[in-house]
């Protein structure tokens, strides 16, 4: 089987896309052979603004039903594959939208939210992000984790502080994930995870999606798809071939104003970081170039069954567990 044939045949899942929602993105997802993706509908927004985002994006999915379908179960992921469409999973990058209401967790589950990151870079009512002093998981946060486990929403720890992450991993009765991270063993950065953190989440049944966001890669904007593949292999050597997948963090279509919003606390307050120039690795600059990743992993000697796991089978398995199917 050629790399192109394998890519066409495989389940391909991106564990995190925060690109600009529009038909052009959906067309590029189809060009890239993407079976499903966790697409962000909430970062700094509270309850009402997040509901408004979901309403708008539900309409966008309906209006582009020739390209995409909503995903609530892994059966929907397989249906997307069969239909030649891309399944859209609603995801949060911050539990802030739950506000102080545990009941909102189930409400958002009913609206199709399948993955929620506990904190986005800074403190919220649940715990602490990776850009400030980490106070750990709050008692309210423990209740939120329990409720997310109950209704079937995956806990994501990508932008979460180390102590809070460890306590969520220990608190959760279901697998949790770093949906989009890189190893600090290749570059030291507040957003990257140490070998010890990667091993800890895997040892407790968790999952790691590897990002290609160039500010977190050693070569920065000079990175290529080979550097991304190296990072995937690095993580896989720590967590094993069954606990690793893709989480690109594609920001396709967004301008500088969007990144300013992301990099300030609450979207407007103190500056947390500067990304500099945002250029994805050469060879996978757009979602449409996803087939190049399958070809690159195969070219580096990764066996075909392992490539299938990394590209999407592992995500499908762990989501089925967390979603309670």
């Amino acid at each position: 089987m050629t790399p192109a044939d394998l890519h066409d045949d495989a389940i391909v899942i991106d564990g995190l896309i925060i690109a600009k929602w529009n038909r052009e993105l959906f067309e590029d997802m189809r060009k890239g052979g993407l079976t499903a993706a966790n697409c962000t509908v909430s970062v700094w927004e509270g309850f009402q603004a997040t509901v408004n985002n979901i309403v708008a994006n539900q309409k966008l999915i309906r209006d582009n039903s020739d390209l995409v379908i909503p995903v609530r179960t892994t059966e929907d992921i397989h249906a997307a594959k069969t239909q030649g469409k891309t399944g859209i999973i609603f995801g949060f990058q911050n539990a802030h939208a739950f506000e102080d209401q545990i009941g909102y967790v189930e409400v958002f589950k009913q609206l199709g939210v399948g993955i929620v990151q506990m904190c986005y870079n800074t403190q919220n009512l649940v715990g602490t992000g990776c850009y400030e002093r980490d106070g750990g998981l709050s008692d309210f946060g423990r209740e939120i984790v329990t409720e997310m486990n109950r209704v079937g929403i995956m806990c994501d720890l990508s932008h979460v502080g180390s102590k809070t992450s460890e306590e969520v991993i220990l608190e959760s009765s279901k697998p949790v994930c770093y949906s989009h991270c890189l190893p600090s063993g290749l570059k030291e950065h507040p957003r990257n995870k140490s070998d010890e953190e990667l091993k800890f989440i895997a040892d407790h049944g968790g999952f790691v999606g590897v990002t290609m966001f160039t500010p977190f890669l050693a070569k920065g904007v000079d990175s290529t798809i080979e550097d991304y593949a190296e990072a995937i292999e690095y993580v896989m050597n720590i967590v094993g071939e069954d606990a690793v997948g893709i989480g690109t963090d594609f920001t396709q279509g967004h301008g500088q104003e969007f990144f300013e919003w992301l990099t300030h606390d609450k979207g407007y307050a103190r500056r947390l970081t500067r990304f500099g120039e945002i250029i994805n690795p050469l060879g996978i600059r757009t979602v449409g170039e996803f087939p190049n990743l399958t070809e690159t992993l195969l070219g580096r000697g990764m066996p075909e069954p392992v490539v299938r796991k990394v590209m999407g089978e592992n995500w499908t398995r762990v989501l089925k567990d967390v979603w309670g199917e």
Side-chain angles (χ1 to χ4, degrees), residues 6 14 23 47 53 59 82 89 108-109 123 147 156 166 170 185 234 245 268 279 296 313:
L6 175 59
D14 193 334
R23 183 171 177 85
F47 177 84
N53 288 344
K59 183 178 188 302
T82 301
I89 305 163
F108 279 120
K109 174 66 175 181
Q123 183 89 36
E147 183 68 355
D156 182 3
E166 179 181 338
L170 294 174
Y234 184 103
Y268 73 90
I279 301 177
T296 299
E313 286 181 359

Side-chain angles (χ1 to χ4, degrees), residues 220-234:
V221 295
D222 295 323
S223 301
T224 71
I225 196 169
E226 294 287 345
D227 298 303
Y228 182 33
E230 178 191 12
I232 294 169
E233 292 164 355
Y234 184 103

Side-chain angles (χ1 to χ4, degrees), residues 95-154:
H96 178 62
F98 296 150
E99 299 185 352
D100 60 356
Q101 299 298 313
I102 296 170
Y104 287 176
V105 176
E106 186 168 22
V107 168
F108 279 120
K109 174 66 175 181
Q110 292 168 344
L111 292 176
V113 176
I115 302 172
V116 168
Q117 186 165 258
M118 310 312 288
C119 315
Y120 188 75
N121 293 337
T122 61
Q123 183 89 36
N124 62 21
L125 294 178
V126 168
T128 312
C130 62
Y131 280 104
E132 62 182 2
R133 182 170 54 85
D134 192 347
L137 184 66
S138 69
D139 286 348
F140 175 74
R142 295 179 196 282
E143 294 182 277
I144 290 290
V145 170
T146 298
E147 183 68 355
M148 288 172 66
N149 287 167
R150 185 185 74 82
V151 305
I153 296 178
M154 190 171 203

Side-chain angles (χ1 to χ4, degrees), residues 12-291:
V12 179
I13 296 180
D14 193 334
L16 197 288
I17 288 182
I18 191 172
K20 187 176 180 64
W21 292 74
N22 52 33
R23 183 171 177 85
E24 290 72 27
L25 173 65
F26 297 156
E27 288 172 340
D28 216 33
M29 286 176 167
R30 294 312 313 135
K31 179 182 176 183
L34 206 55
T35 311
N38 168 28
C39 298
T40 300
V41 294
S42 185
V43 182
W44 296 119
E45 295 92 338
F47 177 84
Q48 185 62 61
T50 299
V51 171
N52 293 346
N53 288 344
I54 290 173
V55 169
N57 290 322
Q58 283 177 329
K59 183 178 188 302
L60 190 62
I61 290 170
R62 287 197 306 274
D63 290 347
N64 293 277
S65 59
D66 57 321
L67 298 173
V68 292
I69 65 170
V71 167
R72 293 171 179 264
T73 67
T74 54
E75 287 183 3
D76 293 333
I77 294 173
H78 290 292
K81 185 66 180 177
T82 301
Q83 296 172 30
K85 298 178 181 180
T86 299
I88 304 297
I89 305 163
F90 287 158
F92 295 177
Q93 290 216 48
N94 196 343
H96 178 62
F98 296 150
E99 299 185 352
D100 60 356
Q101 299 298 313
I102 296 170
Y104 287 176
V105 176
E106 186 168 22
V107 168
F108 279 120
K109 174 66 175 181
Q110 292 168 344
L111 292 176
V113 176
I115 302 172
V116 168
Q117 186 165 258
M118 310 312 288
C119 315
Y120 188 75
N121 293 337
T122 61
Q123 183 89 36
N124 62 21
L125 294 178
V126 168
T128 312
C130 62
Y131 280 104
E132 62 182 2
R133 182 170 54 85
D134 192 347
L137 184 66
S138 69
D139 286 348
F140 175 74
R142 295 179 196 282
E143 294 182 277
I144 290 290
V145 170
T146 298
E147 183 68 355
M148 288 172 66
N149 287 167
R150 185 185 74 82
V151 305
I153 296 178
M154 190 171 203
C155 299
D156 182 3
L157 304 170
S158 303
H159 288 250
V160 178
S162 180
K163 183 178 180 182
T164 301
S165 294
E166 179 181 338
E167 293 180 356
V168 171
I169 292 166
L170 294 174
E171 187 71 24
S172 180
S173 62
K174 291 286 188 177
V176 304
C177 71
Y178 297 126
S179 70
H180 57 298
C181 76
L182 280 164
S184 57
L186 293 178
K187 180 179 181 178
E188 193 63 41
H189 191 282
R191 267 281 282 113
N192 291 349
K193 308 300 180 182
S194 69
D195 292 1
E196 292 75 19
E197 288 171 314
L198 294 170
K199 187 175 188 305
F200 189 81
I201 196 172
D203 286 349
H204 290 80
F207 189 83
V208 181
V210 184
T211 186
M212 58 172 203
F213 196 58
T214 52
F216 310 151
L217 283 167
K219 295 180 184 176
V221 295
D222 295 323
S223 301
T224 71
I225 196 169
E226 294 287 345
D227 298 303
Y228 182 33
E230 178 191 12
I232 294 169
E233 292 164 355
Y234 184 103
V235 171
M236 187 167 68
N237 286 336
I238 295 171
V239 305
E241 65 184 49
D242 295 320
V244 65
I246 304 303
T248 62
D249 207 5
F250 265 116
T251 57
Q252 198 165 315
H254 286 301
Q256 186 59 35
E257 183 178 348
F258 177 75
F259 293 106
E260 288 297 307
W261 180 69
L262 285 183
T263 55
H264 285 78
D265 187 30
K266 312 300 184 286
Y268 73 90
R270 71 186 186 281
R271 175 174 290 281
L272 302 169
T273 187
R274 293 183 185 274
F275 290 145
E277 194 174 14
I278 307 294
I279 301 177
N280 291 327
L282 182 65
I284 190 165
R285 293 251 159 100
T286 64
V287 180
E289 292 185 301
F290 241 100

